[in-house]
Amino acid sequence: MAGKYVHQSILRLEDPELITGNVQFLDDIELPGMLHAAFKRSDYAHARIKSIDVSEARKLPGVIGVYTAEDFGDYIKPGPLQVPPPTAIKGATYVARTTMPIAKDKVRFAGEPVAIVIAESRYIAEDACDLIYVDYEPLEAVVDLEKALQPGSPLVHEDLPSNEAGHVRQERGSWEEAVKEADLVIKRKFFINRNAGAAMENRGIIVQWDKHAKQMTIWCGTQSVIALRNQTAARLGLFESQVRVITPNTGGGFGPKINTSLPDDVLITYLAMKLDRPIKWVEDRRENFLATTSERDQVHYCELAVKRDGTIVGLKDFFYHNTGAYNPYMMTVPLNSQTHTVTNYRVPNFLTEFYVVFTNQMIVTPVRGAGRQYGVFVMERMLDAAARELGMSPVEIRRKNLLPANAYPYYTSIIGQDFVEGVLDSGDYPTSFQKTLELIEYDKFVNEVQPKLRAQGKKVGIGVACFSEGTGVGPYEGARVTVGGNGKVVVTTGYTSQGQAHYTTFAQIVADQLGVDVKDVKVITGDTGYFGWGAGTFASRGITVAGTATHLAAQKVRQKALKLASKILEAPEEELELADGVVRVADIPSKFISLGDLANLANPMRGTMEPGAEPGLEAVAYYGPPYGATGAGAVGLIIEVDPETMQVSLEKMAFVHDCGTPVNPMVVDGQIHGGIQMGIGDAFYEELIYDENGQLVTASFMDYLFPQATDMPKKLVLGHMETPSPLNPLGIKGVGEAGAIPIPSVFVQAVENALQETGVEFDRDTLSPSRIFTYVQQAKGA
Amino acid sequence: MKPAPFEYYAPTSVEEALATLQSLGYDGKVLAGGQSLIPAMNFRMARPAALVDLNKVKELFYIKPTSDGGLAIGTMTRDSVVEKDPLVSERFPIVPYVVKHIAHPQIRNRGTFGGAIAHADPAAQIPALSVALQARFLVRKQGGERWVNAEDFFMGPFMTVLEPEEMLAEVVLPPMAKGSGASYQQVSRQKGGYAQAAVISVVVVDENKRCKDVRVVLFSVGETPILSQTARKILVGNVPTAEAIAEVAEKISKDEVDPGTDIHGTAEYRRHLVKVLVRRGLTEAFERAK
Ligand SMILES: Cc1cc2nc3c(=O)[nH]c(=O)nc-3n(C[C@H](O)[C@H](O)[C@H](O)COP(=O)(O)OP(=O)(O)OC[C@H]3O[C@@H](n4cnc5c(N)ncnc54)[C@H](O)[C@@H]3O)c2cc1C
């Protein structure tokens, strides 16, 4: 669906200001009398707090206050669940142990705050932290996922009988029958490691309490202003209207910033009121690594039942999911992993089951991909293993099992993160796979290029992988579209932005409906002072859900404008058109009225208004899909491995994706590029490593390797498919996470292919050259 | 990530800097490019009571030819200046090539040649380069100075022979001998990242292509740059055949290095890298020497 703006690669409207530095980020904000906060964080992953001595810290000049759990009294309690439990899934069990704002009696992960200092400067606040003495009784840390569930394991939450945080089992058909029917059952174990969200800008918050107006203003680069406002108001006994949350320009979110009721917002809102001074806290990189939230590790035990011709008859997967010390986000991540193992290919029978496990590690909440890539990883790895054992090519086995183009809507029989059965609304997986093979020149590589290079002693390899991405889930988002007296348009939404180009794409949608120049549409996101409803920025749902709400609101305004103009121009609505900022009679272009004049007329200062009419050229609309729109695609990758050093060079990648209507194809490309880079991080570099005592040993960018521009493939070709989603009027599906999802799968497959003669098989992601070396040594030894 | 409190001095001459260091004793610490010291202070791993900032001491920024065909480099000369200096590439083509591997341009624009040496990071390029090139260091203190050979300068990880009141002032590189060739080989996880294993090889051959001298310096695989004795023993006086080079590589990786296991690589992998890199490096250096 194309319009003057929709489906066009216009340049990002927000870029000139960003590039010239004419914008404000959180740390740019300075308020008169502002104080600064720093946290004293636990050195231990698991310990009882015997005593905390803050007397010296309090004496330091410039320190306003030092507070431990005791000082907050009843205010300190576990925070609310950010996501409800999946009660829609039959038999699902769970316990909730949500985030403690500040440790009381016991610390449960290294980096958990035990005290907060408020001082005249951040420097002094950190000096004071050094003067706080905590007497700990160290306890054995729960680190290993599988051991955590064994009897006798130390307990993260001692009031619980075990470290089990939840259990979900979902099935279709009969695994037993599948096994009977199958010619071969393949068994594998996989380990999936833990990654950080690592936005360029860390978290941060500024809170100001106006005691005269009784108003609180919070500046915070949160992914959910509404949750932050509502939870703050509830906690402090305020009306929602007394709390305004504003997101300044924000340097990336990637998931962790969705969280609310973390120590910073809980404690700093309280202290800003108590001290009657604004307080700023900006997370530093070390704190971000230690104590924001990150993603999972998982251990999967998977079985795939196949016929001799490669047809899947069933899959059984059993996995453990690490949720860290608390589980405020319930099961979003493991549910995504679970659904994405069985939704891309036809799997007539499956039985998939997981346990969520508490450990003495940082809290786990979604990071871009949000667990989907691990479902995809498990399935893709199983297909590779099956292909190997059946003597088939990786391409053949995928072709055999991909959902056919006529399968939609496809009912997956599995309930996902939005608590409804997943339905694949539309798509054409075989064609996108085929397109990928063409772009990567699969046949030519395998038949000509590879043999030639291999003869020269070069270790070159190829991989192909498919993925789907459940996006744009409910519950809802909303938008208000207002035409001003100047004829320009303002869009406000409760959705928040962290760099995704919403200021451009939402404007494109509105400009098409109202016939205005896209530059005359101003988009305001993430400010509860303007729009007070919404859920948040997650699950690749911005353009699908908030974008659709914007579209619907613009349509309503369009109707209003037509109705009013019809009266004024004395022409039937059908004969009117909106273009160039005016409403005009199609055949008589000289007969027109500008949108600005219409907006003024729609807001009369005297006289009467028709019953039921609403003033202004303004409308609000909400949109909530019955279930998410599913994007999909495939990727091919050619790599070369140095056979001695095991350094991997990414020679060429072809990535084909389908997100329905791309509102701005350039922005879509950007999302894919960024996602791919994040996927490369996942596949090759990024790894949060905890030692056996639960200490994070990768708490800086010295140790936590992050993909650089120079780590991107030498050649990157994108291909596009457009099967519009029937779920929304523009036919959009989300794409925010797509790029990241299939990369670990394709990477390990390509490395395996390059080192084929060694017989090496990988059972994990994050393949450093040293790890590849070790696997190859083992394969040679075996 | 804010440093603990410290005093700050910004002398404008070497004399003033030395006097300040003398008066501060153990409390004083030189600030050069700050690319290692400032992060360490921000992590509060380093808590110097006072910094003596050399960035305003103009007389420490220079690259000068020496009459014998070598170079004298002032300690504060930025890495990026060394990297781009025509005289450096003419007399020591290996130097800019190695320096390019240090971190990223922003860091090389601030980081200093002498600062890297004084810092003595076992994974740093410049200390190893100075050992390979037989550099000599001018060390000064108030009312005195001494010369130290690069080989004798590094005592351990982040440890040198420098006393608190002393300052590294100048690095002198003696000229490369006739018939020499050099090579640099490193493996790092990413472009600009610290090496997991690296080797600088400098060889000299005679007219008959026999090896006259060989300096193989390994780093990031031990506590300081390691000058291989094995290479000398096996190669000097002989034609460096592929077999001889392979033997050297094998022996060095077995006997002369001591890499540890860390999160980016096992000791076994890094030892294996040493073998591969020494072989590649010596082969290349001898080719270039022809
Ligand atoms: C992201 C990043 C990546 C890096 N990657 C690499 C890399 O790959 N390879 C590499 O080798 N280095 C790397 N570095 C380190 C960088 O090269 C350092 O700057 C350098 O090692 C130290 O030089 P400096 O001038 O910055 O010294 P400073 O940080 O100012 O000082 C370092 C130490 O040396 C002492 N010192 C400095 N000058 C003198 C002097 N004249 N006399 C006595 N003592 C002195 C200081 O007191 C201090 O203890 C990296 C740094 C960063 C931030």
Side-chain angles (χ1 to χ4, degrees):
Chain A
M1 179 169 174
K4 181 169 175 210
Y5 291 111
V6 168
H7 211 305
Q8 309 302 330
S9 290
I10 65 164
L11 292 181
R12 292 176 15 128
L13 301 175
E14 51 266 61
D15 276 348
E17 302 253 283
L18 282 166
I19 290 166
T20 55
N22 276 315
V23 287
Q24 197 175 40
F25 288 83
L26 182 100
D27 209 9
D28 297 326
I29 299 172
E30 295 293 336
L31 301 175
M34 190 162 73
L35 298 172
H36 297 264
F39 290 96
K40 173 76 177 177
R41 297 181 179 280
S42 169
D43 299 323
Y44 289 95
H46 198 194
R48 236 176 281 291
I49 301 172
K50 284 164 54 185
S51 65
I52 306 177
D53 179 358
V54 299
S55 53
E56 267 193 66
R58 281 191 176 137
K59 280 186 229 149
L60 191 72
V63 169
I64 304 293
V66 181
Y67 310 89
T68 64
E70 215 170 76
D71 300 301
F72 292 97
D74 291 344
Y75 184 69
I76 296 304
K77 44 179 162 294
L81 272 176
Q82 304 298 310
V83 170
T87 44
I89 301 172
K90 233 176 60 199
T93 59
Y94 66 92
V95 290
R97 287 294 176 274
T98 52
T99 317
M100 279 298 283
I102 192 164
K104 218 180 201 172
D105 309 327
K106 182 170 152 169
V107 290
R108 294 188 177 85
F109 64 97
E112 186 167 14
V114 291
I116 180 171
V117 177
I118 307 294
E120 294 290 349
S121 80
R122 176 68 178 252
Y123 290 84
I124 297 171
E126 291 193 19
D127 293 345
C129 285
D130 279 359
L131 299 174
I132 298 172
Y133 304 100
V134 188
D135 189 7
Y136 293 105
E137 179 197 332
L139 302 169
E140 197 188 327
V142 182
V143 181
D144 184 283
L145 255 187
E146 296 185 70
K147 282 189 199 145
L149 289 188
Q150 285 164 10
S153 165
L155 295 175
V156 179
H157 299 280
E158 281 150 8
D159 59 326
L160 295 176
S162 82
N163 290 312
E164 183 187 324
H167 173 240
V168 169
R169 185 177 189 274
Q170 302 203 65
E171 68 181 316
R172 165 155 92 187
S174 156
W175 166 250
E176 283 74 31
E177 288 304 312
V179 171
K180 278 186 213 149
E181 207 184 311
D183 295 318
L184 183 67
V185 177
I186 291 148
K187 287 188 195 180
R188 292 290 186 277
K189 176 183 176 183
F190 301 110
F191 174 74
I192 280 149
N193 93 20
R194 202 176 162 122
N195 286 9
M200 196 183 307
E201 186 190 13
N202 289 325
R203 288 161 41 78
I205 189 166
I206 298 172
V207 184
Q208 183 176 41
W209 170 245
D210 181 334
K211 72 173 172 193
H212 303 296
K214 306 266 180 297
Q215 274 289 336
M216 178 174 282
T217 309
I218 300 175
W219 288 264
C220 178
T222 172
Q223 289 175 229
S224 177
V225 278
I226 310 299
L228 178 51
R229 179 199 61 185
N230 293 358
Q231 291 176 28
T232 301
R235 207 175 47 239
L236 295 171
L238 300 171
F239 290 102
E240 277 89 359
S241 59
Q242 284 177 286
V243 180
R244 177 177 175 192
V245 180
I246 303 171
T247 53
N249 280 275
T250 302
F254 304 109
K257 290 181 187 170
I258 192 73
N259 295 284
T260 289
S261 294
L262 287 185
D264 44 276
D265 62 87
V266 174
L267 303 183
I268 292 170
T269 48
Y270 177 92
L271 291 172
M273 263 176 118
K274 178 184 158 87
L275 298 171
D276 193 22
R277 301 229 344 230
I279 301 175
K280 178 193 266 188
W281 172 74
V282 174
E283 180 183 65
D284 65 35
R285 189 57 68 181
R286 199 179 133 74
E287 294 181 288
N288 184 272
F289 273 119
L290 283 170
T292 284
T293 61
S294 68
E295 254 207 30
R296 48 49 236 168
D297 34 47
Q298 292 179 351
V299 177
H300 287 253
Y301 291 87
C302 192
E303 294 180 47
L304 191 71
V306 287
K307 303 287 269 185
R308 207 166 309 284
D309 69 356
T311 308
I312 299 172
V313 280
L315 172 135
K316 182 172 153 193
D317 187 35
F318 177 91
F319 68 99
Y320 299 99
H321 170 82
N322 185 348
T323 196
Y326 305 99
N327 62 344
Y329 223 81
M330 268 291 131
M331 300 195 188
T332 299
V333 176
L335 281 173
N336 271 338
S337 302
Q338 185 175 49
T339 50
H340 283 72
T341 41
V342 293
T343 49
N344 209 28
Y345 297 93
R346 211 194 329 233
V347 186
N349 305 286
F350 60 74
L351 169 59
T352 152
E353 183 176 1
F354 65 80
Y355 281 95
V356 182
V357 184
F358 287 120
T359 61
N360 290 118
Q361 294 174 26
M362 178 177 13
I363 300 168
V364 167
T365 69
V367 171
R368 193 185 204 169
R372 298 177 183 90
Q373 56 270 58
Y374 308 106
V376 168
F377 185 81
V378 166
M379 184 47 132
E380 294 292 314
R381 283 278 73 197
M382 291 309 285
L383 288 173
D384 292 338
R388 185 192 276 245
E389 296 202 15
L390 293 167
M392 290 175 81
S393 95
V395 168
E396 236 181 297
I397 196 158
R398 285 173 173 77
R399 271 208 188 112
K400 185 123 253 157
N401 292 293
L402 269 177
L403 288 178
N406 62 6
Y408 313 93
Y410 178 78
Y411 292 83
T412 63
S413 314
I414 190 161
I415 292 178
Q417 60 152 322
D418 52 350
F419 307 148
V420 291
E421 179 190 355
V423 183
L424 308 186
D425 55 301
S426 58
D428 182 353
Y429 300 176
T431 306
S432 64
F433 186 49
Q434 184 55 33
K435 219 167 160 169
T436 307
L437 297 173
E438 285 161 19
L439 288 176
I440 200 79
E441 298 181 284
Y442 188 89
D443 290 334
K444 186 172 161 207
F445 180 83
V446 171
N447 298 325
E448 297 167 36
V449 181
Q450 192 174 35
K452 208 159 81 195
L453 291 172
R454 278 188 174 162
Q456 295 167 18
K458 294 204 161 152
K459 302 278 179 261
V460 287
I462 192 165
V464 286
C466 302
F467 72 99
S468 61
E469 183 201 0
T471 76
V473 298
Y476 78 96
E477 289 296 331
R480 178 187 297 110
V481 172
T482 311
V483 180
N486 59 1
K488 298 189 180 188
V489 187
V490 175
V491 183
T492 56
T493 167
Y495 210 68
T496 65
S497 258
Q498 300 81 33
Q500 301 92 330
H502 297 142
Y503 303 104
T504 307
T505 50
F506 290 4
Q508 286 175 267
I509 290 172
V510 170
D512 268 0
Q513 285 307 312
L514 298 184
V516 295
D517 189 320
V518 72
K519 292 203 177 91
D520 288 335
V521 183
K522 180 180 164 63
V523 179
I524 298 172
T525 66
D527 181 340
T528 62
Y530 285 98
F531 200 90
W533 297 97
T537 304
F538 56 89
S540 303
R541 62 197 289 281
I543 200 76
T544 24
V545 186
T548 298
T550 302
H551 175 75
L552 297 176
Q555 273 187 330
K556 282 194 192 171
V557 172
R558 182 190 170 87
Q559 293 316 322
K560 269 180 137 177
L562 287 172
K563 194 168 166 196
L564 187 58
S566 153
K567 247 195 221 162
I568 292 163
L569 299 174
E570 297 173 332
E573 280 178 42
E574 310 80 62
E575 288 173 22
L576 300 181
E577 61 181 21
L578 279 87
D580 305 326
V582 303
V583 184
R584 65 191 175 208
V585 182
D587 301 333
I588 321 169
S590 59
K591 215 172 159 191
F592 69 85
I593 179 165
S594 76
L595 275 182
D597 289 344
L598 268 183
N600 286 327
L601 290 170
N603 181 29
M605 285 296 122
R606 293 293 183 276
T608 55
M609 218 160 103
E610 275 175 36
E614 286 173 11
L617 283 192
E618 175 174 286
V620 177
Y622 295 93
Y623 171 73
Y627 46 85
T630 301
V635 60
L637 173 66
I638 294 173
I639 54 125
E640 179 170 352
V641 183
D642 181 320
E644 289 184 316
T645 65
M646 299 298 165
Q647 299 287 303
V648 182
S649 149
L650 277 59
E651 300 296 322
K652 180 178 174 185
M653 181 182 283
F655 196 107
V656 174
H657 77 97
D658 180 353
C659 64
T661 306
V663 172
N664 184 324
M666 179 196 72
V667 167
V668 168
D669 284 1
Q671 287 290 331
I672 301 270
H673 290 158
I676 287 172
Q677 188 154 11
M678 211 148 161
I680 290 171
D682 221 339
F684 200 30
Y685 295 113
E686 294 184 54
E687 193 171 9
L688 291 169
I689 301 174
Y690 285 86
D691 71 12
E692 66 281 7
N693 299 315
Q695 293 292 338
L696 181 65
V697 293
T698 49
S700 85
F701 279 128
M702 283 267 285
D703 303 308
Y704 186 88
L705 302 183
F706 206 60
Q708 304 172 163
T710 44
D711 297 318
M712 288 295 273
K714 288 182 192 157
K715 254 192 240 158
L716 176 57
V717 207
L718 299 190
H720 304 281
M721 295 262 304
E722 283 179 36
T723 57
S725 172
L727 295 175
N728 60 67
L730 292 171
I732 314 173
K733 309 170 192 175
V735 72
E737 297 164 272
I741 292 173
I743 307 300
S745 306
V746 79
F747 184 87
V748 293
Q749 189 193 126
V751 176
E752 240 172 53
N753 181 247
L755 300 171
Q756 206 169 24
E757 67 190 30
T758 66
V760 69
E761 186 178 329
F762 300 112
D763 58 4
R764 60 165 299 155
D765 61 349
T766 322
L767 290 181
S768 66
S770 174
R771 219 165 250 154
I772 298 173
F773 177 79
T774 305
Y775 272 96
V776 169
Q777 296 296 101
Q778 281 163 359
K780 278 182 182 161
Chain B
M1 284 232 201
K2 302 280 186 241
F6 58 89
E7 278 177 50
Y8 175 78
Y9 298 88
T12 54
S13 70
V14 171
E15 283 313 316
E16 192 190 341
L18 295 178
T20 313
L21 282 173
Q22 187 72 41
S23 67
L24 290 167
Y26 277 97
D27 287 341
K29 198 141 191 67
V30 168
L31 174 67
Q35 298 302 292
S36 300
L37 183 53
I38 299 292
M41 288 170 66
N42 284 344
F43 276 112
R44 296 194 177 215
M45 291 182 322
R47 294 169 179 251
L51 290 185
V52 182
D53 183 353
L54 297 186
N55 284 277
K56 291 195 173 122
V57 184
K58 295 212 177 75
E59 53 191 304
L60 292 173
F61 294 77
Y62 58 85
I63 299 175
K64 284 194 274 206
T66 55
S67 53
D68 60 359
L71 284 176
I73 301 175
T75 187
M76 285 299 289
T77 310
R78 308 283 178 199
D79 293 349
S80 59
V81 172
V82 174
E83 181 189 340
K84 290 171 195 141
D85 186 272
L87 199 62
V88 175
S89 358
E90 188 192 311
R91 296 193 172 181
F92 299 92
I94 190 67
V95 171
Y97 182 73
V98 172
V99 170
K100 250 197 264 272
H101 285 80
I102 301 172
H104 308 278
Q106 295 93 321
I107 291 149
R108 296 198 295 276
N109 283 340
R110 294 297 302 168
T112 64
F113 202 73
I117 291 167
H119 188 51
D121 185 330
Q125 279 85 354
I126 296 173
L129 189 62
S130 67
V131 173
L133 296 176
Q134 297 179 272
R136 284 164 21 93
F137 304 146
L138 174 62
V139 174
R140 294 182 62 179
K141 68 173 177 180
Q142 196 177 28
E145 63 175 49
R146 58 180 174 136
W147 285 92
V148 184
N149 291 334
E151 261 172 67
D152 305 324
F153 186 79
F154 302 102
M155 306 299 289
F158 309 100
M159 279 187 294
T160 70
V161 300
L162 286 178
E163 297 294 334
E165 68 280 8
E166 283 182 326
M167 179 184 99
L168 174 62
E170 183 179 276
V171 179
V172 170
L173 302 179
M176 302 276 285
K178 251 186 74 188
S180 49
S183 161
Y184 179 54
Q185 301 283 335
Q186 82 162 48
V187 165
S188 60
R189 283 299 319 268
Q190 289 178 292
K191 203 170 160 52
Y194 279 99
Q196 291 184 279
V199 54
I200 301 173
S201 311
V202 179
V203 303
V204 187
V205 296
D206 65 17
E207 312 78 63
N208 302 320
K209 292 181 178 160
R210 276 176 204 286
C211 175
K212 267 170 78 177
D213 192 14
V214 52
R215 294 178 72 80
V216 173
V217 179
L218 302 121
F219 68 94
S220 227
V221 286
E223 302 202 325
T224 60
I226 299 163
L227 175 64
S228 165
Q229 302 307 324
T230 310
R232 269 201 187 131
K233 265 187 231 145
I234 297 178
L235 295 172
V236 172
N238 295 319
V239 173
T241 58
E243 295 71 43
I245 289 174
E247 188 192 341
V248 171
E250 180 76 38
K251 283 216 163 117
I252 290 179
S253 72
K254 274 217 179 91
D255 307 331
E256 287 191 297
V257 295
D258 185 20
T261 290
D262 66 19
I263 52 178
H264 303 303
T266 62
E268 196 195 357
Y269 171 66
R270 294 170 70 199
R271 208 178 274 283
H272 166 80
L273 286 181
V274 167
K275 186 168 80 184
V276 174
L277 298 183
V278 168
R279 196 195 70 231
R280 291 180 183 179
L282 278 173
T283 308
E284 186 174 77
F286 280 113
E287 265 165 25
R288 287 180 176 166
K290 278 170 202 165

